[in-house]
Amino acid sequence: MAERLALFATAARGTEDLLAEELKELGAKRIRQDRGGVRFMAALDEALNVCLWSRIAMRVLYPLGEFDAHGAQGLYDAVASVPWEEHLTTNVTFAVDANLKDTEHAHSGFVALKVKDAIVDRLRDKLGSRPDVDTRNPDVSVVAHLVKEKLSLSLDLVGEPLHRRGYRVRPTPAPLKENLAAALLRAAGYTGTEALVDPMCGSGTLVIEGGLIARKRAPGINRSFAVERWPHLGTRAKELLADLRADARRNERKVEVPILGFDKSDEALEAADRNVKAARLGEEITLAEGDATKLPPLPEGGGLILTNPPYGDRLGSGGQKGMKTFYFKLGDSLRALPGWRVWVLSGNPAFESAFHARPMARRDVWNGPIPCTLLGYRAPPLPPGSKPVLGTPGESLEVAPVRPEHQDE
């Protein structure tokens, strides 16, 4: 049996359970949710499958250990105790990414420098020379997470975070991260077999992620991973990934459902169009000008409406009163569509009452530093004789809330 690695996949807060479900589907074992991510076991091929296919994970880390690190010297000594010669050689480059919380150290740059010094000093002692640091495109990424005086050290299998799929060539203000968009789609029960509409699509992230799901396209299909350059695993990782990528391409499917994005802004639609084309989903996704409070006729048979409306800082003047009026009109528009269940990511506490409907499901999630609530509403019944579009769920399962434990992070 292949040796299994103990790994940790990070995710947006509030989506850990969704990531755990996804990891189980991808073949991970001994899955355990944790704050900010999921711990699991996987053989190398299974870990690479996660890197290639996970839509929700941000990073996949290989933990090296946890240490008490008191003061600058304690930090240095803890890092120097790790057998770095088992993971690095003098012929590779590396970089250190340091994250701090409630520590005696004021700057992450200082911690990263101490970690780097300890690594190169140990390697110089063990191997006779030291590797170079490359902060822009390192072969090996070392992640240091320091909470108070507890230091965690890991190696990052993916390098560039997984949410950077490569298709966002034109962003708009405050876009959703790709992995959060995918998590919202999973929470709403979207499998790619029903129609999908985002009436305020912005740069197109939700419809693009929906298109990738409907196409059954691996989100990491067009990118490389840091583990492919690791000195002791890189060659084998490249071979396994070549097979996994070929298999993924063979198993893509034709999209049989409409995927529509609307927006009032010409600038947003232009950005969305460029991003859709960069994602190679131009034939699968249709974009059009449209006001979310006065949508044009949607395809018969219903499906899923999922959207991320403005939280209050992108609608111009009007203040909170103007936002409530907008949310009320939005509710009148979206709740009147037979067969269309509606899910909304709200970052404004006034949204729920102004939308004027009782949600069937809610979940607390974080959009970056912003606490939000994902709200799901039942679809009005279809007219007699109407047929749902392909596999439209008759009713979405209620999603239990996931409440963040530490809102100050």
Side-chain angles (χ1 to χ4, degrees):
M1 180 181 293
E3 177 187 0
R4 292 191 182 276
L5 307 173
L7 302 172
F8 181 69
T10 67
R13 282 181 293 166
T15 68
E16 294 92 341
D17 62 319
L18 301 170
L19 175 57
E21 292 172 3
E22 181 186 62
L23 290 173
K24 183 177 180 181
E25 294 171 3
L26 294 174
K29 309 297 181 187
R30 294 174 59 183
I31 297 166
R32 180 168 61 87
Q33 287 177 225
D34 206 341
R35 182 163 50 90
V38 178
R39 300 187 183 278
F40 65 102
M41 301 288 292
L44 180 58
D45 60 335
E46 295 165 338
L48 296 172
N49 198 49
V50 168
C51 294
L52 182 66
W53 277 100
S54 179
R55 303 183 190 278
I56 301 174
M58 181 78 74
R59 282 177 161 175
V60 180
L61 303 178
Y62 176 39
L64 301 178
E66 293 187 351
F67 311 87
D68 291 325
H70 306 279
Q73 188 61 45
L75 176 64
Y76 177 95
D77 292 342
V79 179
S81 70
V82 175
W84 294 103
E85 62 276 9
E86 296 179 5
H87 309 289
L88 295 165
T89 70
T90 59
N91 297 320
V92 301
T93 60
F94 79 100
V96 178
D97 180 14
N99 304 286
L100 315 183
K101 183 187 176 188
D102 298 334
T103 77
E104 59 189 309
H105 306 291
H107 302 290
S108 60
F110 171 80
V111 172
L113 181 62
K114 276 293 178 184
V115 173
K116 183 268 293 182
D117 288 345
I119 292 173
V120 298
D121 288 350
R122 171 156 183 141
L123 290 173
R124 186 184 291 113
D125 180 59
K126 295 292 183 180
L127 304 178
S129 61
R130 51 159 285 179
D132 291 328
V133 173
D134 183 347
T135 58
R136 301 190 62 170
N137 189 30
D139 297 318
V140 180
S141 297
V142 178
V143 178
H145 187 58
L146 186 62
V147 179
K148 296 183 179 178
E149 295 181 332
K150 184 67 70 175
L151 173 68
S152 301
L153 293 171
S154 305
L155 300 181
D156 185 355
L157 274 72
V158 300
E160 191 85 2
L162 287 175
H163 77 272
R164 296 177 185 169
R165 319 278 206 227
Y167 62 71
R168 181 170 282 167
V169 294
R170 277 286 299 274
T172 54
L176 282 177
K177 279 190 168 65
E178 295 87 328
N179 63 316
L180 178 57
L184 301 180
L185 286 158
R186 176 177 275 264
Y190 186 73
T191 62
T193 59
E194 62 178 314
L196 172 66
V197 172
D198 181 355
M200 291 169 279
C201 69
S203 61
T205 307
L206 281 167
V207 289
I208 292 173
E209 289 298 314
L212 294 175
I213 292 169
R215 194 81 169 84
K216 291 191 73 172
R217 179 176 295 159
I221 194 70
N222 293 315
R223 57 163 291 169
S224 62
F225 302 102
V227 67
E228 296 179 74
R229 291 181 283 170
W230 286 12
H232 304 303
L233 286 178
T235 300
R236 181 60 179 150
K238 281 185 178 181
E239 294 172 351
L240 291 170
L241 276 166
D243 291 339
L244 289 170
R245 290 184 180 110
D247 186 61
R249 290 189 174 98
R250 281 193 299 270
N251 288 291
E252 288 192 12
R253 67 184 177 189
K254 184 178 179 181
V255 176
E256 302 284 357
V257 293
I259 301 176
L260 310 175
F262 298 96
D263 206 285
K264 289 175 64 176
S265 165
D266 290 339
E267 183 179 354
L269 286 173
E270 181 184 353
D273 181 64
R274 290 190 60 181
N275 294 337
V276 164
K277 289 175 180 175
R280 296 187 293 115
L281 291 170
E283 295 183 3
E284 290 81 4
I285 296 172
T286 300
L287 302 171
E289 183 179 356
D291 183 340
T293 65
K294 304 172 187 176
L295 281 178
L298 298 183
E300 293 184 3
L304 171 65
I305 293 174
L306 175 61
T307 196
N308 176 37
Y311 302 163
D313 59 348
R314 286 184 283 146
L315 281 182
S317 60
Q320 192 72 341
K321 183 178 180 180
M323 290 305 304
K324 289 181 179 179
T325 300
F326 171 71
Y327 294 151
F328 182 82
K329 291 179 179 178
L330 185 67
D332 276 354
S333 172
L334 300 186
R335 289 184 290 102
L337 301 171
W340 290 92
R341 53 200 179 89
V342 176
W343 286 70
V344 179
L345 180 67
S346 168
N348 187 327
F351 174 85
E352 189 172 348
S353 60
F355 196 73
H356 205 62
R358 184 173 181 177
M360 66 168 181
R362 67 172 63 241
R363 146 184 311 264
D364 293 338
V365 299
W366 286 71
N367 181 6
I370 304 172
C372 298
T373 306
L374 178 65
L375 301 164
Y377 300 88
R378 285 186 172 85
L382 289 166
S386 299
K387 293 183 179 180
V389 177
L390 292 181
T392 305
E395 181 176 300
S396 178
L397 296 177
E398 182 153 344
V399 180
V402 179
R403 304 192 181 279
E405 299 176 35
H406 300 276
Q407 297 193 7
D408 59 339
E409 289 190 351

